[in-house]
Amino acid sequence: MTERARALLVLADGEVFEGEAAGALGALGLATGELVFNTALSGYQEVVTDPSYAGQVIAFTYPHLGNYGTNATDDESRRPFCCGVVARDLVDVPSNWRSTEGFEAFLTRHRVPAITGVDTRRLTRHLRDEGAMGCAMGTGEEAAVRAAAATAPTTTGRDLVSAVTIDRPVTRGEGPRRLVAYDFGVKETMLRQLAQLGTVTVVPAGTSAADVLAYEPHGVLLSNGPGDPVALDGPIGAVGDLLGKVPVFGICLGHQLLALALGGRTFKLAFGHHGINHPVQHLASGRVEVTSQNHNYAVVEGSVPDAVVTHRNLNDGVVEGIRCTRANAFSVQFHPEAGPGPHDARTLFVDFLALLDAGAAAGTR
Amino acid sequence: MPRRVDLESILVIGSGPIVIGQACEFDYSGTQACRVLGEDGFRVILANSNPATIMTDPGVADRTYVEPLDVEVLTAIIERERPDALLPTLGGQTALNLTMALADSGVLADYGVEVIGARPEAIRTAEDRERFKEAMTEIGLEVPPSGFAHSLDEAIATAERIGYPVIVRPSFILGGSGSGIAADPETFAALAADGLDASPTAEILVERSIAGWKEFELEVMRDGADNCVVVCSIENLDPMGVHTGDSITVAPAQTLTDVEYQAMRDDAFACLRRVGVETGGSNVQFAVDPATGRRLIIEMNPRVSRSSALASKATGFPIAKIAARLAVGYLLPEIANDITRATPASFEPTIDYVVTKVPRWAFEKLAGASDALGTRMQSVGEVMAIGRTFCESVQKALRSLEQGRFGLNADPAGQAYDALSDTELLDRVAVATPERLFAVEAALRRGVSIERVHAASSIDPWFLGQLARISAARLDLDQHRGRFADGAAALGAVDRPRWRTLKRLGFSDAQVGHLLSVPEGSVRRARLEAGVVPTFKTVDTCAAEFEAYTPYHYATYEDEEEVRPSERERVIILGSGPNRIGQGIEFDYCCVHASMALRQAGYETVMVNCNPETVSTDYDTSDRLYFEPLTTEDVANVIDAERRASRGAGRLRGVIVSLGGQTPLKLAGALDPQLVLGTSPASIDLAEDRQRWNELCTRLGIAQPPGAMATTAAGALAAAAEIGYPVLLRPSYVLGGRAMEIVYDDPGVRRVMDGLAAGLAREGGVTAERPVLVDRFLEDAIEVDVDALRDRDGEVLIAGVMEHVEEAGVHSGDSACALPPQTLGAAVLDLLDVHTRALAAALEVCGLLNVQYAVKDGAVFVLEANPRASRTVPFVAKATGVPVAAIAARLMVGETLAELRRAGILRPPTRSRHVSVKEAVLPFDRFPGVDTLLGPEMRSTGEVMGVDVTFGLAFAKSQMAAGTRLPRTGTVFLSLADRDKRNGLDVARQLAASGFRLAATEGTAEWLRAAGIDVAVLVSKVGAEGPGAHAVELISSGRVQLVVNTPRGRGPRADGQHIRMAALAHHVPCLTTLAAARAAAAGIADWSVHPLEVRSLQELHAAGGDR
Ligand SMILES: Nc1ncnc2c1ncn2[C@@H]1O[C@H](COP(=O)(O)OP(=O)(O)O)[C@@H](O)[C@H]1O
Ligand SMILES: Nc1ncnc2c1ncn2[C@@H]1O[C@H](COP(=O)(O)OP(=O)(O)O)[C@@H](O)[C@H]1O
Ligand SMILES: [Mg+2]
Ligand SMILES: [Mg+2]
């Protein structure tokens, strides 16, 4: 068994949890971030490498973490951007035919601090009641960790996209259809799904509408990404300029940006949706899809002029999808690409295809 | 789509008796289904032959038919009740098969009954292995290649086509004989030859063996709008090759990446859609190649199952309840999740703990059976445990088994492995048996690498890595101990972090005590002093994302406890643990009734149990549910938690220990006597303590068979000489006639005493506190069971008197019995009544009392008294209409019979003049090496009930319900022991009068002929070159419809075993006692003059009983 140093996790409101230092925490001594919990039973590698978690510390509710190790193909981006990991039990002996590295070694290699041995259920109940908040984890004196927790940054009002987006365009996939994907922190699985539709140019978050249109795309994808959408004036403006000129499909942060660009509003949920078991109803058909979700912000019901709500979360009624026919745009709050999570909603990429082809036929490129 | 309005009445078919592979999980699912359908306004008609179920309580369905599950009977029920629909998916394989037969015979079409839940076509696609494989291949899912063969040549050709290694699947082979795995043609030829030989139809299924692959199950639901969800994923610790029912299984799946898991999920849904399960729950099984991740689909069950019950308990998602709703039109998003109230059923549960299921086997009761596990299920029950880690849950599960184990080794029984060499140990690791996991831990502890253990066992390294943590912690504690002068000092020096580590890995106080050589009580004290107490967490379907309203708890060692405070009076009911032979569903029935009755009386009820199959562990049954092992430590933790939870006027009123069989009784001694409700632990002890019990009987003037006690072979021989042969030998303090034998001479006594000393070593051995009882065996006596109730004021109510069909010497749990008694005279009945009242008073019973008597030549002897619920309680309740268990529970909290009468809860028994017969169901078809002869060691797994206007008819129905349809014409083969020959004449005459031809072995034939009875076929003993037909050949050729074979003497290896084996193998009904033959002859005779009639319990109970 790995010998570990004692460590503490302290929340901004002063709540203290005992645990042991893991990953890079021993080396770093102290780490901070906004604490959220994720309820997925599988997919930790995808979760920690999902750029949407930039600025956040992720507590996993399933106690064993690292069961099947990590492998070369399941990363969702070039590296983890999250600020830390909280676990009940980090696993020493992983097992899976694709595993090439243990999860803790992976975290250490990527300098992700972690704390294990924590009563993550108590933590989850606390966050559920009090909302996501800043936290600090550290191996030092309790007072020091407390102080760090009290001033730990949250994601509210922060642009975290600039830190995760690529610096120059890259191309993925092939085929006659031309697509542009904004990288606000795009996930690999999303790009893989998109690349099945055609040639995808992935562009940095700061790319202007004019530069995007210069690619003569048949459609534009607004990707997922971290942080508070209202802090992203640049992208909101760019999306506004694209609307009506090219079909647009937004996912997660992309969904929020579409809503904002259409004149809607967003708000911060108490503790967000982070899991792969969220029931979402497609209102037109009544069908329920079990979806993968990862967001703290959501679109305010009824705030988006000209758009209809297409999907809703059956757990808490949150708006999960909108469509603006006038602008040839639609978006969903959840992750139809999955990775991790169920594939139920992957048909949305087919819907996007239909929209592009309809757009192409109608001459809007 | 809301509830269908075109349906008014629904027929639900239960699963019948508890047998291996179909246990009380179907009572759990059926009860849920009947209730929700009833709540939705449907008229529910239920058919189930098993009286020990909650679902057959008259209040659960509108019409309850405790009748044989047989096409003819069901047809009669349908004709009478005219249901609009039939729901077949809640009664296991039995209900599916019966539904198919009803569909095929045209009955459903004739009466316009719609099958809901799963259409016949879907059932056929799922159940027929060939069709299923075709269907899966068609949608691009991979299956193991296979083929049927009818000759050796064909078998070898098939194996060549499939490619080695191959497995011979036992589906059509009795008990799995001649099944196995072959890696090369030579081994295969031998195996196939055996298999073809063993198969009655000379057919074997040859399949590519993927033994050693990882095995997974997904529990899936689908609604009428094609919404699909996975409720739970389960990973088997024992890889492919060991039946899932015999595997240790874990939820959720542990070693699949999300990519692999989601692909499996997609496959499961595709499978459901292709098979055509329109609504409801299904179970889909997969195998995954550990080296490449390649995934094959093994099978799917289009119904609720043992695994779905486990999944429901593991996640809090009530699959059966929801399946029933879906079947009548609701959609998943329209159904609310009871636990969170906020969320709909169309989500996928997520959990924040690990669930481990461990099966329980009964090999010790089945002399001649091998304990190697294979592709055919052999376990009789299971336990489930919940912990925050796998280590914690597996150790909790192992101590839940109640087989004397404290956890994963670190106990007296675990020492056996330390004496083995590495090679011997690895040999035990290599073969799946009930003991394997213990050998694995012992191997890891002595440093055998995970790789080697994996290579030997194919158990996934993840599990081995976890088990190795348990070993490491133990070694660490050993080292700690080495630093101190003695265990007590070492115990005092265990600090909080070390306690937390140990407890979080699931170590019990008993294990720590064993390792430090200190009593368990000291460990508990030291731990509490160190401030290390368990916290109770909640099973909530959502990993705490939403608030849970259902107090379904498990203990673990964390920071925060979630038990809600209560201002009410609470009663804890201790359940009966895993099903086993001798202690099954009957006791769960009693616990559930107690819970319902006390809730009705205004108490808050708290259930503690660890059996996932049961109704008692449904979170709906009690106000609070603790899914915990039934050990001193775990129960004490629950009591502490409930005491901590008391607020205001709330208090813990007490603990009920006398309804869950031996399990809670054994714990009574460790409880605060003030807390034990009902009969005091002192009285319970009095009835169990041979010496004091004898004194009591003498004082009351109640005769007993002469007896004595012995702790050595010499003592036993002396006792036998004094008492006179034959004698009955048995250890004290065991249930179900365990290790009980009838012995006719001195060598017999020596053999049994040696066997007991060895066999019971695990359970503490034969000691002065646990002596062997030596009793005179009463031959040809009639056995009688009496169930009675007594209140605190001393009023006694005789609830039921049951006359056994088989004579004393056949365990009461294995013999048929009739209520009311059929042959006992008024004088005997009077004596039974007087004795029972005297015993109840002397034992100061408060609640239930069961007394067993033997009546010989008009004299009444008492065999034993149990001041607790007995196996017959549910049968008595069903036969008389008196809710015996419910009344007992209310007596235990201080109410009186008079008060209950006034409250209308206790009503006079029904005055209907029907006869009820209970018959036992035995598991011999799974264990081909085991003799089917009945004896004092109980071996039945379940029971059925037959009700009709005469004893003969009721008996015939009970046989039909138990799976042995008595013939109405044909040939009866008689082979009787000398002592039965005289009395056998009447039976033979009656059978001949009913039109049967008789066949008999020489001696029997001589008697019959001498008495002027015609014997058409003379049968010679096997081997003997006699003139007549060969016995085995006669049976296997199908020329005999009924066998009556009563052997000389009793006990194992009695003569005639080959006859009984042949009957078993060819499904020919075989009666092994003259008493049963007499009853059968009466039944056959009555049947020929009466048409088949069915009656509901509601009608039977209403007859005259009400007013
Ligand atoms: N081809 C095979 N090779 C090895 N083991 C197998 C194979 N097929 C099934 N098994 C094992 O046999 C068990 C029972 O098979 P299954 O098809 O599930 O039948 P059942 O209807 O009895 O559940 C499985 O749980 C699995 O462990
Ligand atoms: N003295 C006896 N003579 C004949 N049969 C006996 C005698 N004692 C016990 N038996 C038989 O053995 C069976 C089991 O004995 P019992 O004392 O009831 O043990 P258990 O506690 O297992 O129920 C009884 O049901 C009865 O058939
Ligand atoms: Mg199976
Ligand atoms: Mg008995």
Side-chain angles (χ1 to χ4, degrees):
Chain A
M1 273 183 283
T2 317
E3 287 293 331
R4 296 190 168 101
R6 313 213 356 124
L8 292 177
L9 169 71
V10 183
L11 309 196
D13 66 358
E15 200 70 18
V16 179
F17 296 81
E18 283 177 44
E20 291 160 0
L25 185 58
L28 297 172
L30 188 73
T32 60
E34 179 178 86
L35 185 58
V36 294
F37 63 85
N38 184 304
T39 62
L41 294 173
S42 56
Y44 53 79
Q45 183 178 351
E46 292 90 326
V47 169
V48 295
T49 54
D50 176 349
S52 293
Y53 283 103
Q56 295 183 319
V57 170
I58 312 159
F60 288 87
T61 60
Y62 185 62
H64 289 301
L65 196 61
N67 287 8
Y68 49 81
T70 59
N71 59 58
T73 47
D74 291 352
D75 284 350
E76 284 298 330
S77 66
R78 55 207 181 276
R79 67 172 176 87
F81 291 97
C82 63
C83 300
V85 165
V86 180
R88 167 62 176 81
D89 188 71
L90 269 178
V91 166
D92 287 332
V93 182
S95 168
N96 186 278
W97 62 284
R98 291 195 296 145
S99 171
T100 48
E101 185 178 26
F103 185 53
E104 187 171 2
F106 174 92
L107 291 177
T108 310
R109 181 163 62 83
H110 289 293
R111 303 190 55 74
V112 177
I115 179 167
T116 183
V118 172
D119 182 350
T120 45
R121 184 167 167 93
R122 175 185 146 220
L123 177 63
T124 304
R125 282 161 53 90
H126 190 75
L127 294 178
R128 170 186 91 198
D129 293 342
E130 305 299 326
M133 62 181 88
C135 77
M137 56 173 94
T139 48
E141 292 295 312
E142 182 172 328
V145 188
R146 264 181 194 285
T151 56
T154 66
T155 59
T156 312
R158 280 175 79 198
D159 165 7
L160 289 157
V161 167
S162 333
V164 303
T165 187
I166 42 171
D167 18 306
R168 66 181 62 89
V170 294
T171 305
R172 297 284 296 259
E174 53 192 35
R177 282 192 212 91
R178 289 179 307 277
L179 294 149
V180 169
Y182 263 108
D183 176 12
F184 301 126
V186 73
K187 285 167 62 191
E188 188 55 36
T189 311
M190 198 180 291
L191 289 178
R192 234 179 272 140
Q193 286 291 308
L194 206 62
Q196 290 180 9
L197 307 184
T199 309
V200 183
T201 306
V202 188
V203 300
T207 309
S208 69
D211 287 351
V212 166
L213 292 172
Y215 290 104
E216 302 194 342
H218 295 103
V220 173
L221 176 98
L222 311 175
S223 83
N224 65 299
D228 192 340
V230 298
L232 305 175
D233 290 337
I236 294 168
V239 173
D241 293 344
L242 289 171
L243 287 178
K245 300 181 181 124
V246 60
V248 169
F249 177 22
I251 294 177
C252 199
L253 180 69
H255 158 76
Q256 295 155 11
L257 294 174
L258 175 66
L260 292 169
L262 284 167
R265 277 174 290 123
T266 58
F267 69 108
K268 191 172 187 178
L269 295 164
F271 52 88
H273 295 162
H274 309 276
I276 60 176
N277 67 341
H278 284 263
V280 167
Q281 189 155 40
H282 179 238
L283 301 178
S285 67
R287 260 187 81 99
V288 180
E289 280 152 354
V290 179
T291 64
S292 177
Q293 303 215 358
N294 173 29
H295 62 109
N296 285 77
Y297 298 85
V299 171
V300 176
E301 175 90 53
S303 73
V304 193
D306 270 4
V308 292
V309 173
T310 55
H311 295 77
R312 197 181 296 285
N313 191 312
L314 291 177
N315 284 344
D316 56 8
V318 164
V319 172
E320 290 286 346
I322 57 171
R323 175 181 286 271
C324 174
T325 318
R326 170 181 62 78
N328 244 358
F330 74 104
S331 62
V332 288
Q333 181 61 72
F334 54 90
H335 287 265
E337 78 284 2
H343 303 152
D344 297 12
R346 278 198 172 162
T347 50
L348 281 169
F349 289 93
V350 181
D351 293 355
F352 186 38
L353 186 69
L355 193 67
L356 322 170
D357 290 352
T364 53
R365 249 187 283 261
Chain B
M1 207 200 316
R3 173 192 187 281
R4 284 178 59 174
V5 289
D6 57 330
L7 303 179
E8 272 174 19
S9 55
I10 299 175
L11 172 62
V12 175
I13 304 181
S15 70
I18 305 297
V19 294
I20 291 175
Q22 262 185 198
C24 48
E25 62 269 16
F26 296 109
D27 188 25
Y28 162 65
S29 50
T31 303
Q32 279 197 345
C34 291
R35 285 204 177 124
V36 297
L37 295 177
E39 280 163 19
D40 247 324
F42 292 100
R43 198 169 76 90
V44 179
I45 302 136
L46 170 70
N48 191 357
S49 54
N50 186 345
T53 50
I54 293 294
M55 74 190 299
T56 53
D57 272 348
V60 173
D62 297 284
R63 289 291 198 167
T64 308
Y65 287 90
V66 181
E67 298 280 2
L69 296 179
D70 168 279
V71 175
E72 197 185 338
V73 175
L74 263 290
T75 306
I77 295 173
I78 290 171
E79 187 169 16
R80 230 171 152 227
E81 299 288 348
R82 302 299 174 107
D84 297 321
L86 189 171
L87 181 56
T89 51
L90 297 150
Q93 201 64 41
T94 302
L96 283 190
N97 291 346
L98 195 52
T99 302
M100 292 310 286
L102 286 167
D104 291 344
S105 69
V107 172
L108 299 182
D110 289 351
Y111 291 95
V113 184
E114 178 186 344
V115 179
I116 55 174
R119 295 271 170 88
E121 181 52 27
I123 299 176
R124 208 167 277 129
T125 308
E127 294 295 317
D128 180 326
R129 285 194 197 273
E130 287 298 293
R131 274 198 194 215
F132 178 71
K133 289 189 176 199
E134 267 167 39
M136 292 304 102
T137 311
E138 192 187 300
I139 56 169
L141 302 190
E142 209 183 336
V143 296
S146 66
F148 287 98
H150 303 86
S151 69
L152 197 54
D153 285 348
E154 195 184 352
I156 290 170
T158 308
E160 295 295 332
R161 174 172 60 79
I162 289 166
Y164 289 97
V166 294
I167 182 167
V168 177
R169 295 290 299 277
S171 340
F172 300 93
I173 304 172
L174 184 80
S177 63
S179 71
I181 296 170
D184 55 73
E186 292 73 51
T187 326
F188 176 69
L191 195 64
D194 276 0
L196 286 165
D197 213 37
S199 163
T201 51
E203 179 178 79
I204 56 172
L205 174 62
V206 184
E207 187 166 287
R208 163 77 61 74
S209 169
I210 44 173
W213 285 29
K214 290 146 82 110
E215 187 164 0
F216 295 89
E217 289 177 81
L218 295 188
E219 297 304 321
V220 201
M221 303 216 70
R222 183 174 185 221
D223 72 15
D226 194 29
N227 295 311
C228 294
V229 296
V230 173
V231 175
C232 187
S233 61
I234 301 175
E235 178 161 352
N236 291 10
L237 179 144
D238 296 288
M240 284 290 292
V242 178
H243 195 280
T244 38
D246 275 356
S247 295
I248 296 175
T249 65
V250 176
Q254 302 292 334
T255 63
L256 293 177
T257 65
D258 187 66
V259 171
E260 290 154 353
Y261 171 71
Q262 300 301 341
M264 187 178 279
R265 183 180 177 275
D266 291 347
D267 286 358
F269 292 166
C271 168
L272 241 65
R273 289 177 175 129
R274 173 59 188 85
V275 167
V277 179
E278 286 168 329
T279 69
S282 293
N283 151 281
V284 192
Q285 291 170 28
F286 294 95
V288 173
D289 183 345
T292 63
R294 186 171 149 209
R295 180 176 58 257
L296 305 188
I297 184 162
I298 303 303
E299 71 154 351
M300 83 92 76
N301 293 301
R303 54 171 171 85
V304 304
S305 61
R306 181 178 47 262
S307 301
S308 70
L310 182 74
S312 297
K313 303 297 166 68
T315 60
F317 188 104
I319 294 176
K321 196 171 180 171
I322 290 175
R325 287 237 159 104
L326 298 182
V328 297
Y330 288 101
L331 299 181
L332 285 166
E334 294 168 349
I335 302 171
N337 176 343
D338 298 341
I339 291 190
T340 61
R341 296 188 191 160
T343 60
S346 53
F347 80 122
E348 302 199 337
T350 186
I351 63 183
D352 56 3
Y353 44 82
V354 180
V355 172
T356 304
K357 173 210 84 174
V358 181
R360 180 169 162 146
W361 294 269
F363 293 114
E364 74 278 5
K365 293 184 120 301
L366 297 157
S370 145
D371 71 349
L373 307 177
T375 56
R376 201 172 148 96
M377 180 169 163
Q378 293 172 295
S379 62
V380 293
E382 62 190 27
V383 295
M384 176 182 113
I386 310 176
R388 283 276 279 167
T389 61
F390 168 70
C391 295
E392 185 177 43
S393 76
V394 75
Q395 293 231 68
K396 282 174 82 172
L398 292 172
R399 68 178 186 260
S400 299
L401 284 173
E402 283 178 64
Q403 295 189 305
R405 304 306 306 252
F406 300 174
L408 185 60
N409 292 327
D411 58 7
Q415 288 166 346
Y417 301 99
D418 300 333
L420 302 177
S421 71
D422 284 7
T423 327
E424 285 169 321
L425 201 52
L426 277 169
D427 284 347
R428 304 226 182 159
V429 165
V431 187
T433 66
E435 299 286 317
R436 165 151 85 174
L437 202 66
F438 300 98
V440 165
E441 192 279 331
L444 292 170
R445 181 155 30 89
R446 61 170 75 166
V448 178
S449 70
I450 288 179
E451 291 69 32
R452 273 183 79 195
V453 175
H454 170 66
S457 64
S458 296
I459 296 175
D460 192 274
W462 185 83
F463 290 109
L464 299 174
Q466 293 293 323
L467 297 175
R469 295 168 76 183
I470 295 175
S471 306
R474 173 173 170 181
L475 291 172
D476 204 49
L477 186 63
D478 284 343
Q479 250 177 28
H480 168 83
R481 181 189 168 158
R483 290 195 283 271
F484 296 86
D486 58 20
L491 177 67
V494 174
D495 59 3
R496 200 180 115 86
R498 187 185 291 280
W499 273 124
R500 292 258 292 185
T501 305
L502 287 168
K503 295 310 268 186
R504 283 180 153 200
L505 290 172
F507 279 89
S508 63
D509 289 350
Q511 281 175 306
V512 174
H514 175 80
L515 294 175
L516 299 181
S517 316
V518 292
E520 183 183 341
S522 316
V523 176
R524 181 175 171 82
R525 265 191 306 282
R527 174 169 60 75
L528 294 180
E529 263 163 38
V532 178
V533 291
T535 46
F536 287 89
K537 300 266 181 195
T538 309
V539 171
D540 62 7
T541 72
C542 62
E545 183 168 3
F546 303 98
E547 191 170 351
Y549 293 90
T550 310
Y552 171 7
H553 299 299
Y554 66 94
T556 184
Y557 286 79
E558 293 277 22
D559 303 347
E560 185 193 38
E561 167 142 320
E562 299 175 19
V563 175
R564 282 177 204 245
S566 166
E567 298 196 351
R568 294 177 47 201
E569 267 202 296
R570 271 152 297 133
V571 173
I572 294 180
I573 300 162
L574 299 183
S576 60
N579 271 13
R580 66 205 85 164
I581 291 176
Q583 189 173 306
I585 186 174
E586 302 83 1
F587 297 98
D588 198 66
Y589 166 97
C590 292
C591 294
V592 170
H593 269 264
S595 182
M596 297 190 303
L598 296 179
R599 283 178 94 168
Q600 215 176 28
Y603 293 91
E604 214 170 76
T605 59
V606 181
M607 185 68 69
V608 189
N609 201 1
C610 54
N611 182 346
E613 303 172 332
T614 57
V615 178
S616 68
T617 51
D618 185 343
Y619 61 74
D620 267 355
T621 296
S622 302
D623 292 294
R624 294 163 184 245
L625 168 64
Y626 289 85
F627 212 105
E628 286 292 296
L630 289 158
T631 70
T632 306
E633 173 182 354
D634 298 287
V635 169
N637 288 341
V638 171
I639 291 175
D640 288 350
E642 280 300 324
R643 282 185 159 149
R644 281 198 295 274
S646 292
R647 297 287 185 284
R651 69 174 178 130
L652 178 59
R653 171 67 195 276
V655 183
I656 291 186
V657 298
S658 56
L659 297 180
Q662 205 76 340
T663 299
L665 270 192
K666 279 198 257 179
L667 301 173
L671 297 178
D672 173 356
Q674 295 293 310
L675 279 182
V676 176
L677 295 174
T679 310
S680 72
S683 289
I684 296 169
D685 264 0
L686 170 56
E688 295 271 3
D689 181 320
R690 212 5 105 114
Q691 192 104 43
R692 292 165 61 210
W693 164 246
N694 291 349
E695 285 162 16
L696 179 73
C697 292
T698 313
R699 182 157 61 77
L700 297 177
I702 303 175
Q704 289 175 278
M709 279 179 293
T711 51
T712 60
L717 286 169
E722 166 99 26
I723 293 164
Y725 285 107
V727 296
L728 192 65
L729 295 175
R730 65 173 131 174
S732 46
Y733 276 98
V734 294
L735 194 66
R738 170 102 163 69
M740 182 182 255
E741 280 198 53
I742 299 161
V743 167
Y744 292 82
D745 49 26
D746 284 5
V749 169
R750 267 187 225 104
R751 177 179 56 77
V752 171
M753 289 302 288
D754 288 354
L756 281 179
L760 292 177
R762 225 171 52 162
E763 291 156 45
V766 177
T767 62
E769 299 89 67
R770 303 166 151 268
V772 171
L773 308 179
V774 186
D775 286 318
R776 175 62 185 266
F777 176 68
L778 302 172
E779 281 185 295
D780 295 322
I782 298 173
E783 187 163 351
V784 183
D785 251 278
V786 180
D787 280 326
L789 290 156
R790 181 178 178 273
D791 67 18
R792 67 179 153 87
D793 288 351
E795 185 185 344
V796 175
L797 178 85
I798 305 289
V801 178
M802 288 147 279
E803 178 180 350
H804 291 208
V805 171
E806 285 83 1
E807 63 278 16
V810 171
H811 194 278
S812 52
D814 280 1
S815 63
C817 69
L819 191 162
Q822 296 298 304
T823 71
L824 302 177
V828 168
L829 288 172
D830 259 4
L831 264 183
L832 293 172
D833 188 280
V834 170
H835 286 348
T836 306
R837 286 174 194 277
L839 285 168
L843 291 169
E844 291 176 14
V845 170
C846 179
L848 275 163
L849 172 71
N850 166 263
V851 191
Q852 284 164 34
Y853 298 96
V855 179
K856 190 170 165 83
D857 305 327
V860 173
F861 298 86
V862 64
L863 297 181
E864 64 165 354
N866 296 303
R868 57 162 173 84
S870 68
R871 206 173 290 117
T872 44
V873 164
F875 171 67
V876 171
K878 299 286 148 75
T880 63
V882 179
V884 182
I887 291 166
R890 301 208 34 177
L891 299 183
M892 283 185 245
V893 293
E895 290 176 78
T896 62
L897 289 166
E899 283 165 1
L900 294 175
R901 227 174 257 126
R902 249 175 278 133
I905 291 162
L906 171 56
R907 299 196 196 150
T910 169
R911 283 205 293 272
S912 158
R913 298 238 299 277
H914 63 273
V915 180
S916 303
V917 171
K918 185 207 84 171
E919 178 60 293
V921 176
L922 293 134
F924 298 131
D925 59 344
R926 299 260 166 177
F927 304 99
V930 176
D931 196 349
T932 64
L933 206 54
L934 301 178
E937 168 127 21
M938 178 173 168
R939 291 179 300 177
S940 61
T941 53
E943 69 199 57
V944 290
M945 172 166 157
V947 190
D948 218 313
V949 290
T950 70
F951 168 73
L953 289 172
F955 182 81
K957 270 191 184 169
S958 75
Q959 299 306 297
M960 190 176 186
T964 41
R965 207 173 212 286
L966 294 177
R968 297 188 190 186
T969 55
T971 302
V972 180
F973 172 24
L974 297 161
S975 178
L976 304 178
D978 287 344
R979 65 189 162 89
D980 288 333
K981 284 189 174 127
R982 177 186 306 278
N983 295 327
L985 293 179
D986 281 349
V987 173
R989 252 188 224 109
Q990 198 170 5
L991 287 168
S994 297
F996 281 86
R997 282 170 17 113
L998 302 183
T1001 40
E1002 287 155 55
T1004 308
E1006 223 168 276
W1007 259 89
L1008 297 178
R1009 284 180 175 154
I1013 302 168
D1014 184 38
V1015 177
V1017 187
L1018 189 68
V1019 188
S1020 57
K1021 302 244 147 147
V1022 245
E1025 292 295 309
H1030 190 287
V1032 172
E1033 227 170 71
L1034 189 70
I1035 294 168
S1036 33
S1037 65
R1039 279 182 286 152
V1040 166
Q1041 281 66 47
L1042 176 69
V1043 176
V1044 179
N1045 173 228
T1046 74
R1048 186 165 9 93
R1050 293 210 183 291
R1053 287 170 290 280
D1055 61 320
Q1057 188 174 356
H1058 60 285
I1059 295 177
R1060 298 187 290 277
M1061 297 298 210
L1064 179 64
H1066 295 91
H1067 306 287
V1068 180
C1070 176
L1071 304 169
T1072 62
T1073 65
L1074 194 62
R1078 200 179 291 128
I1084 290 169
D1086 282 3
W1087 219 339
S1088 63
V1089 296
H1090 280 83
L1092 174 78
E1093 273 182 47
V1094 293
R1095 277 167 213 84
S1096 70
L1097 280 191
Q1098 286 79 5
E1099 295 164 84
L1100 294 171
H1101 290 177
D1106 241 328
R1107 37 204 71 103

